[in-house]
Amino acid sequence: MIRWFSFKLTIQTRIHISSSSYSSSFDVKALSSYSSSSTSNSISSYRFISSSFVINNNNYNTTSNNKTTSSLLLQDRLLNNNNLRFKSNSSTKTTTTTTIKALQEKMDPFIPQARQFVNFIDSAPSPYHATSQVAEMLKQKGFIQLSEKQEWDIKPNGKYFFTRNQSCVSAFIVGGKFNGGNGFNIAAAHTDSPNLKVRPVSNVESAGYLQVGVETYGGGLWYTWFDRDLTVAGRVIIKGADGSFESKLVHVKRPILRIPSLAIHLDRSVNSDGFKYNAQNHIVPILASQINAKLTNGDGENYENKKHHPILLDILAKELHCSVNDIQNFDLSICDTQPAAIGGALQEYIFSPRLDNLCMSYCSIEGLLRVSDEHIKQEESVLSVVLFDNEEVGSSSPQGACAPLITDTITRVNHCFVPAGKDINTIVDLSLRRSFLVSADMAHAIHPNYSGHHEPLHRPQLNKGPVIKYNANLRYATTGPTSFTILELAKRNGIPVQEFLVKNDSPCGSTIGPIISGSYGIRTVDIGNPQLSMHSIRETCGVVDITYGFQLIQKFFEQFSILDKSIKVDLE
């Protein structure tokens, strides 16, 4: 059944559209409104009154509550719909002014930073690697590495960092005008992502295969791990020639593991009843065939470690340039071998593992590193980034947000600045009350195929800027004053921001924000870049949002101390 719609667009542009069967350039004239002879949700054809062509479209659906149609949105849909058929007047001038090349060029200023992020994420297949990468970034910018096991000597204008458990990093810059009791302006994220962890005893055998026993970590979309080219990464405890032991990073960059799905011929119900799996029995990667493994490595009779397959230990030993018997223990994660990529027809998207939450970890560190030395000299606060571990499993660890890492840092820094005769506990309490936390964790972008799962008035889009996250039940720590702070900083610096909350009939995730704000009374706002496919083995975010993300955090570091003085909430 054909429904005729008459549209009047609010813009004038020239659009070039190509498909496999027709290529045409045409003008869309500027008009102001549209009329409709039907309220059907299924729009079968469009007729543009002011032009000499008719567009017949049989594959476009919209929701009935859309009372107005954005001309720009319609333009995007025209550009991206491969099922359009045109009846064009041959006399229409076909000069193209808006081309794919021009749209690609709009992305060019954002591509270099996106490529740097892609390189970062490819080098960070585990929290240990992410922490190591961040440490190198900090060292290159003159940050001094501290040890929590030694006393600190902190100076104004100084740049410092320390790591905990090789998976958590705390970096801070002391303002040139910092005094004991002044605030800490903090951006916090986390280095971990849902993944599969190699079990302490992993040597599984079944049906002629050697398999690696794994344990699920966090709330992953585990079905996305099937039929992927997988490998291992993490840290290994190595015995040295002098009898000492050292934790070394390892990343096997070739595919050595795979979780095969079951052929549809053996389970016809999978497409009608949905894909169902048992995490214990079905998520067990295959490593090798039993026969070939024995021919290659024997039974590993000379290996002291009997808890893992000899062939896996041999691979690790070759990567680490040590003997198998030097391997004492390890923390290994399963990860994808496919590198992150910039994609989409117009290079708008990043397809990558571990966007949640290495994206905001990167933006936080990049924002800190971009603060100028000139600003630091005039800064009254400490500018800090903390990247925790174990957020995906509740944060209850020495390197997680439940541990007093932030207050430990505030206390130790203030010890170096406490005025004579002042009580250190009072000084630390003043610092906490004057501090502000940006909890930076990824947010949910509107999904084109599941838009009904999003609250109608809070639908973040990719490449439209960072998202402020709200929840009345305090799953996020955002309040009116703290969200205003971000909105005002964004407004002053021309950075687009969006807002998000879940539907009343939908559950809500959480972040480290409520943990820290509730434990230490630090004012907190939850933000994050929008993404699709959160907790999948491959996620999607926007190229432009990488730049917007670190710019917002940079401006927070540079401008919050002054802005905060103008915001009156409680008695100052």
Side-chain angles (χ1 to χ4, degrees), residues 381-394:
S381 302
V382 172
L383 313 179
S384 172
V385 168
V386 183
L387 307 182
F388 292 100
D389 192 8
N390 303 131
E391 187 274 348
E392 298 292 354
V393 292

Side-chain angles (χ1 to χ4, degrees), residues 417-432:
F417 292 88
V418 61
K422 293 289 186 178
D423 178 58
I424 184 62
N425 293 323
T426 300
I427 297 301
V428 170
D429 189 59
L430 287 173
S431 276
L432 289 170

Side-chain angles (χ1 to χ4, degrees), residues 1 18 43 52 73 91 128 135 154 196 201 209 215 231 264 290 368 372 384-385 456 482 486 502 538-539 544:
M1 182 176 182
S18 298
I43 301 176
S52 55
L73 182 59
S91 64
Y128 314 111
I154 306 300
L196 304 173
V201 180
Y209 293 98
E215 182 179 13
T231 188
I264 192 171
Q290 286 177 322
L368 183 67
S372 68
S384 172
V385 168
T482 62
I486 295 300
V502 297
R538 298 286 291 185
E539 301 170 320
V544 174

Side-chain angles (χ1 to χ4, degrees), residues 47-118:
R47 173 177 291 169
F48 288 80
I49 305 173
S50 63
S51 58
S52 55
F53 60 87
V54 174
I55 304 176
N56 296 306
N57 178 9
N58 294 318
N59 291 305
Y60 180 75
N61 292 315
T62 186
T63 56
S64 58
N65 61 352
N66 287 339
K67 301 300 183 183
T68 61
T69 300
S70 164
S71 59
L72 289 176
L73 182 59
L74 183 56
Q75 177 186 354
D76 290 340
R77 288 168 178 163
L78 291 174
L79 283 170
N80 287 289
N81 195 319
N82 292 325
N83 297 302
L84 296 177
R85 301 191 303 273
F86 300 91
K87 298 176 182 178
S88 176
N89 189 325
S90 59
S91 64
T92 302
K93 188 175 181 179
T94 60
T95 303
T96 300
T97 58
T98 303
T99 63
I100 289 179
K101 181 179 179 181
L103 292 173
Q104 288 175 331
E105 288 175 352
K106 290 175 62 177
M107 301 301 299
D108 287 347
F110 303 99
I111 294 296
Q113 193 61 48
R115 293 198 188 283
Q116 288 187 40
F117 169 65
V118 164

Side-chain angles (χ1 to χ4, degrees), residues 365-470:
I365 287 294
E366 191 70 18
L368 183 67
L369 295 179
R370 287 174 176 263
V371 176
S372 68
D373 290 338
E374 290 72 21
H375 172 79
I376 293 170
K377 293 175 183 178
Q378 304 302 318
E379 179 60 57
E380 298 176 356
S381 302
V382 172
L383 313 179
S384 172
V385 168
V386 183
L387 307 182
F388 292 100
D389 192 8
N390 303 131
E391 187 274 348
E392 298 292 354
V393 292
S395 298
S396 296
S397 68
Q399 57 277 2
C402 289
L405 186 147
I406 285 181
T407 54
D408 289 348
T409 304
I410 291 175
T411 300
R412 296 190 70 168
V413 171
N414 272 297
H415 262 295
C416 300
F417 292 88
V418 61
K422 293 289 186 178
D423 178 58
I424 184 62
N425 293 323
T426 300
I427 297 301
V428 170
D429 189 59
L430 287 173
S431 276
L432 289 170
R433 300 293 75 76
R434 294 167 177 169
S435 294
F436 191 101
L437 172 69
V438 173
S439 170
D441 204 345
M442 297 295 279
H444 298 292
I446 180 69
H447 196 301
N449 300 334
Y450 300 92
S451 59
H453 288 265
H454 296 258
E455 209 285 323
L457 300 180
H458 300 84
R459 297 183 167 191
Q461 297 181 349
L462 301 182
N463 291 316
K464 295 297 180 65
V467 179
I468 301 174
K469 300 187 285 185
Y470 301 83

Side-chain angles (χ1 to χ4, degrees), residues 282-329:
H282 301 151
I283 305 180
V284 188
I286 58 174
L287 175 67
S289 63
Q290 286 177 322
I291 293 178
N292 287 334
K294 288 183 178 181
L295 290 173
T296 303
N297 290 79
D299 293 319
E301 62 274 5
N302 297 323
Y303 294 173
E304 297 175 3
N305 191 328
K306 305 296 183 181
K307 298 185 295 183
H308 308 283
H309 289 303
I311 191 170
L312 175 61
L313 295 172
D314 188 61
I315 291 172
L316 295 175
K318 289 178 179 178
E319 290 286 334
L320 294 164
H321 306 289
C322 68
S323 71
V324 168
N325 289 333
D326 289 335
I327 298 175
Q328 305 299 301
N329 210 343

Side-chain angles (χ1 to χ4, degrees), residues 134-182:
V134 169
E136 287 304 312
M137 293 168 66
L138 293 168
K139 290 176 182 177
Q140 291 176 9
K141 293 294 186 178
F143 281 68
I144 299 171
Q145 185 167 7
L146 304 171
S147 169
E148 289 191 278
K149 298 179 181 179
Q150 299 175 1
E151 292 185 358
W152 294 355
D153 183 19
I154 306 300
K155 304 294 185 184
N157 299 304
K159 301 178 180 180
Y160 308 93
F161 79 97
F162 64 89
T163 63
R164 184 180 288 187
N165 188 52
Q166 287 185 282
S167 61
C168 167
V169 58
S170 176
F172 56 93
I173 300 173
V174 182
K177 295 184 178 181
F178 177 79
N179 294 315
N182 284 8

